[in-house]
Amino acid sequence: MISIHLSPVDYAILIIYFMFVLGIGFALKRFMKGGSSFLTSGRSIPAWVTGLAFLSANLGAQEVIGMAASGAKYGIMTSHFYWVGAIPAMVFLAIFMMPFYYGSKARSVPEYLKLRFDEKTRGFNAISFAVMTIFSSGISLYALAKLLETLVHWNYWTCIFVSAFIVLVYIFLGGLTSAIYNEVLQFFMIVLGFAPLVFLGLKDVGGWAALKEKLVPIAVEQHFAPGTWAHSWAHMGGALDNPMGINWVVMVLGLGFVLSFGYWCTDFLVVQRAMAANSMSAARRTPLIAAIPKMLFPALVILPGMIAIAMHHASGGKFLPLSADGTPDYNMTIPVMLAKYFPTGLLGIGFTALMASFMSGMAGNVTAFNTVWTYDIYQSYIAKDKSDNHYLWMGRWATVFGIIMSILAAILASNFNNIMDMLQLVFGFVNAPLFATFLLGMFWKRTTGHGAFYGLLGGTVSAAIFHGLSITELGTPGIKGAWISPKFIFHSEMGQNFWMAIVAWTSCFMLTLVISLVTKRTKTDEELVGLVYSLTPKPKSGDEPWYQKPAILGIIILALTLVLNIIFA
């Protein structure tokens, strides 16, 4: 059993970090004068801050723990979640979609849907997004509590409630602004905590070349080609050629197009950070600033998983703890690495980085939830035309409710041995069909409110039906699928998730297209200015230097990402 013994120095580092986190909330409380400042930061934050917060909001426990777990389970193919499944979509968001979000003055993604389509489309998305954020927040909460219980033998429920309480306090006091500035602090804490871990682990296995050699028997043992764990593209010719159980077509369409663009371009959790920027230019640069460190994060979060699985094999299966089904518990990759490599002091920094990753992910979800609940559900359907101060207090109580629901969602997360699998499942239900709606709505003025609503509904139902008819090999029918009948069998949960996302997106796209053609437009061209690409004046960069122009930055970032794909192909 792996355990971490924190010294007084390590506890001191953790306590100092908590004091900073809570201090930011208390310092910002006096600036929270109404609902707008609490829920949207009054659009007052500079680009470099929103850029790091944009990245950090996604860098929760599910990414730090989940990507390391996927690195062990799938090898360097996990890098596709960054170089295929993130960077292109972030560039697309910056160049094409942020002008609509920011320029429309919408306070949330569901509110943009109301402006572009109608009230029922906004309502459907607001409710589905609120449910998704609760699940995502619950995943972060479960991951951290389980980790603390296993490593330092703290009581599971004590970990749940204490961790949730800290997040609750600083969001309750300082709202979105508090979350954003804490996310910047958490970004630096995560880098500071995990960079030494990668260096020490890679040094221990003898460097990159030696690691690739140590990964060969793992691939061979599972009946794959020797280099499968060390190459990102070379073994994606067929679904049986790699542990993800997918080919390159499914990877590009399922992850690179549907799930990636569905998340980065429509998920209010990350879009909210860009919408808090102090100008249109800053809002468009926000995803691009985030994309630069995002390119390098595979080295920080995937490489430890590859090192861990190599050491697990070399130790005869004794390095990583085992799950109940006898397979390695991949979610314990980072904790095991911390226990092995970090001495006193450095252990405190690494342990605090784990806490920071949890808080970052959970706070991001809770701030997105309280905004959508307050503006898109409560103000729209329950209490219209109240004072700004009234919505401030509703936002605060929505924060409390969101935390409580996250605790309940954490219970469900315990059914997955890789939390990234569960996260992609949730995204497949919500983000995949939503991206089809946005794609048609922003770039085809003929799209109607009825088309958007029934397309979204049909896409979500299609995802549910597909999930009910599919399951992985040796999987047990239930929360992981086949609750209708096991008609489609997949080699991995990730492959199942990608196909479900493709089905959801395609269903929504086709339904929206057909229904829009047979229903009347209710919005004139004049009403769609600022909401549809062809009817909106293109933003000009003016006299900005080249390194602040979104199109130039985007091209550079895409070129660098292509180089990384080639190097590790």
Side-chain angles (χ1 to χ4, degrees):
M1 176 66 71
I2 294 295
S3 63
I4 287 178
H5 301 286
L6 298 176
S7 70
V9 173
D10 299 320
Y11 277 111
I13 292 170
L14 185 62
I15 292 169
I16 291 170
Y17 172 73
F18 284 157
M19 291 173 63
F20 268 101
V21 165
L22 295 173
I24 289 174
F26 280 102
L28 292 172
K29 182 178 183 295
R30 61 192 177 95
F31 297 106
M32 300 299 108
K33 303 298 184 184
S36 177
S37 57
F38 182 83
L39 296 167
T40 68
S41 295
R43 292 193 166 187
S44 62
I45 301 180
W48 74 269
V49 175
T50 56
L52 292 181
F54 185 97
L55 176 62
S56 187
N58 173 255
L59 194 61
Q62 60 259 50
E63 174 151 356
V64 172
I65 301 294
M67 285 300 181
S70 294
K73 188 174 182 179
Y74 304 123
I76 202 171
M77 279 183 290
T78 309
S79 65
H80 292 311
F81 283 95
Y82 294 82
W83 302 334
V84 175
I87 304 299
M90 293 165 77
V91 172
F92 185 84
L93 170 66
I95 295 175
F96 294 105
M97 297 185 74
M98 277 317 302
F100 300 115
Y101 285 133
Y102 199 88
S104 68
K105 304 296 183 184
R107 297 167 298 183
S108 67
V109 168
E111 189 167 65
Y112 171 85
L113 290 174
K114 176 194 174 183
L115 296 172
R116 173 60 185 89
F117 299 116
D118 54 24
E119 187 62 56
K120 64 180 181 295
T121 307
R122 186 255 283 269
F124 182 84
N125 177 242
I127 293 170
S128 60
F129 176 78
V131 172
M132 184 186 75
T133 56
I134 291 300
F135 272 105
S136 187
S137 181
I139 292 171
S140 286
L141 191 54
Y142 160 74
L144 183 77
K146 190 66 179 176
L147 179 151
L148 296 180
E149 180 189 44
T150 303
L151 293 186
V152 291
H153 310 299
W154 296 349
N155 179 269
Y156 177 81
W157 288 108
T158 301
C159 297
I160 287 276
F161 287 112
V162 170
S163 303
F165 178 75
I166 292 172
V167 174
L168 171 63
V169 170
Y170 78 76
I171 296 177
F172 191 88
L173 293 172
L176 177 62
T177 307
S178 177
I180 286 176
Y181 278 99
N182 265 305
E183 283 159 3
V184 174
L185 172 64
Q186 288 153 358
F187 168 80
F188 288 111
M189 197 72 222
I190 290 166
V191 173
L192 186 64
F194 293 122
L197 186 67
V198 174
F199 173 78
L200 293 172
L202 201 56
K203 182 180 178 183
D204 190 34
V205 297
W208 174 245
L211 174 61
K212 289 195 293 184
E213 289 297 320
K214 287 180 169 62
L215 292 171
V216 168
I218 297 167
V220 173
E221 194 174 82
Q222 297 187 35
H223 310 293
F224 296 118
T228 303
W229 257 252
H231 292 277
S232 60
W233 288 103
H235 303 284
M236 298 200 71
L240 298 177
D241 297 338
N242 60 78
M244 275 194 180
I246 55 176
N247 59 32
W248 69 271
V249 176
V250 177
M251 170 63 72
V252 171
L253 293 179
L255 176 63
F257 180 63
V258 177
L259 283 170
S260 170
F261 281 73
Y263 176 76
W264 293 102
C265 297
T266 70
D267 195 310
F268 185 52
L269 164 65
V270 289
V271 173
Q272 185 182 35
R273 272 70 194 151
M275 291 171 71
N278 57 16
S279 68
M280 172 70 81
S281 176
R284 297 183 75 198
R285 292 200 308 274
T286 292
L288 300 174
I289 291 170
I292 297 170
K294 185 77 174 177
M295 271 189 279
L296 305 176
F297 261 78
L300 204 64
V301 295
I302 296 173
L303 200 51
M306 297 170 65
I307 294 169
I309 198 63
M311 299 190 73
H312 182 73
H313 186 272
S315 67
K318 297 179 180 178
F319 187 69
L320 292 173
L322 301 180
S323 301
D325 60 3
T327 61
D329 187 352
Y330 299 112
N331 288 331
M332 293 303 294
T333 295
I334 289 291
V336 168
M337 296 281 285
L338 287 176
K340 177 173 177 61
Y341 290 112
F342 275 9
T344 297
L346 197 56
L347 181 60
I349 294 174
F351 189 76
T352 303
L354 277 179
M355 297 290 286
S357 72
F358 151 75
M359 290 182 179
S360 176
M362 187 175 183
N365 280 289
V366 171
T367 53
F369 171 82
N370 64 25
T371 302
V372 168
W373 166 262
T374 302
Y375 285 143
D376 296 296
I377 299 175
Y378 181 76
Q379 185 183 38
S380 298
Y381 306 114
I382 301 172
K384 296 181 180 180
D385 304 320
K386 298 293 185 180
S387 68
D388 197 37
N389 193 58
H390 177 88
Y391 295 123
L392 165 64
W393 280 103
M394 176 45 60
R396 283 184 164 147
W397 286 113
T399 302
V400 176
F401 177 73
I403 294 287
I404 293 172
M405 294 304 294
S406 298
I407 292 172
L408 298 178
I411 298 171
L412 286 177
S414 62
N415 290 288
F416 289 75
N417 75 339
N418 180 354
I419 57 179
M420 277 304 295
D421 290 340
M422 180 180 179
L423 201 62
Q424 296 303 319
L425 172 64
V426 174
F427 288 163
F429 275 99
V430 180
N431 293 81
L434 182 60
F435 178 57
T437 303
F438 268 92
L439 202 59
L440 285 169
M442 284 188 169
F443 297 99
W444 186 41
K445 67 180 183 180
R446 183 66 181 79
T447 313
T448 66
H450 290 312
F453 174 77
Y454 289 108
L456 267 179
L457 182 62
T460 304
V461 170
S462 297
I465 293 172
F466 183 85
H467 186 251
L469 294 173
S470 63
I471 198 167
T472 56
E473 296 169 343
L474 305 178
T476 302
I479 192 173
K480 293 189 178 184
W483 44 270
I484 298 175
S485 177
K487 299 294 185 183
F488 307 107
I489 309 299
F490 290 89
H491 302 297
S492 72
E493 289 169 7
M494 201 65 78
Q496 179 190 11
N497 294 338
F498 288 173
W499 270 110
M500 188 185 78
I502 292 171
V503 168
W505 184 90
T506 305
S507 300
C508 180
F509 189 91
M510 297 307 297
L511 281 171
T512 304
L513 186 71
V514 172
I515 296 171
S516 292
L517 288 173
V518 299
T519 53
K520 291 180 65 175
R521 284 178 61 186
T522 56
K523 303 259 186 184
T524 64
D525 284 1
E526 289 72 24
E527 291 175 299
L528 295 179
V529 172
L531 301 170
V532 175
Y533 187 79
S534 62
L535 301 174
T536 304
K538 306 304 177 284
K540 294 179 172 58
S541 299
D543 297 326
E544 292 176 338
W546 66 268
Y547 53 84
Q548 290 187 355
K549 294 181 178 180
I552 295 176
L553 276 176
I555 291 170
I556 293 172
I557 289 167
L558 289 176
L560 292 174
T561 306
L562 178 61
V563 170
L564 288 171
N565 273 289
I566 293 171
I567 290 173
F568 293 96

